[in-house]
Amino acid sequence: MTRYSLLVSLHVGSVIVWLGAGTTLAFVALYARRARNGVVLDQLGALVEWMGPRVFAPASLAAVGFGVAAAHEGHWPEMFWFHVGEGAFVFSFLMTVAVRLPLLRRARRGALAAPRLAQYLLAVAVAELTVLYLTVADMVAKPSGIGASAVRYGGIIVAVGFLAAAAIAYRARSARAVIAAPTLREPGPSDPVEPEVQERPAA
């Protein structure tokens, strides 16, 4: 394997980890809200906060670093689609610093309930993943300039993704608390019956 092939492989692998982790967390937040699972909701903020410096930051920095190194190693000329990828990284970084981290700090202080936090995190993920997945498509299509048809279609998809994210964030204002504990029910015929313990009279 040449040095250039190694750099490209590491770049692609970093992008997979970056996108895969973000997509998984978006589905976890969606599951927690739809299933009204209070346990997952309560731990969602801590999970995102833990993964930030351990998964998202290293993977995103590695994706950009290996991509730039591969471009220099392969002597790539000035290309529009490569700058689109750089812009996507800047957008993701700003979303984390300006939106995601303040949300997590508010939740840690108790100023933001877990259901609302899940909604807001889902909104951030939808906006961010829309841009990142379109960036992957940009790397495949390699449009030559801003006037390319792929860029126009991509702009429409970005607009739809941002509108969906705004709608999710707006719904977070009316999010209510979720019952964390499971509801009690009468034991059924198939449930195990615990033996009764008889109290002995005191001597």
Side-chain angles (χ1 to χ4, degrees), residues 118-156:
Q119 286 284 94
Y120 283 130
L121 289 177
L122 181 60
V124 173
V126 168
E128 184 179 36
L129 291 175
T130 299
V131 172
L132 293 181
Y133 275 108
L134 278 176
T135 303
V136 173
D138 165 78
M139 296 294 174
V140 175
K142 295 180 174 58
S144 57
I146 193 69
S149 59
V151 177
R152 292 196 298 270
Y153 293 135
I156 295 174

Side-chain angles (χ1 to χ4, degrees), residues 95-117:
M95 288 291 287
T96 297
V97 173
V99 182
R100 187 176 282 121
L101 290 180
L103 286 173
L104 294 174
R105 284 196 293 266
R106 287 181 59 193
R108 192 165 55 246
R109 294 196 307 265
L112 187 62
R116 294 182 65 191
L117 175 64

Side-chain angles (χ1 to χ4, degrees), residues 76 79-86 135 138-139 141-144:
W76 294 359
M79 290 176 292
F80 169 79
W81 57 269
F82 185 76
H83 296 305
V84 171
E86 293 175 329
T135 303
D138 165 78
M139 296 294 174
K142 295 180 174 58
S144 57

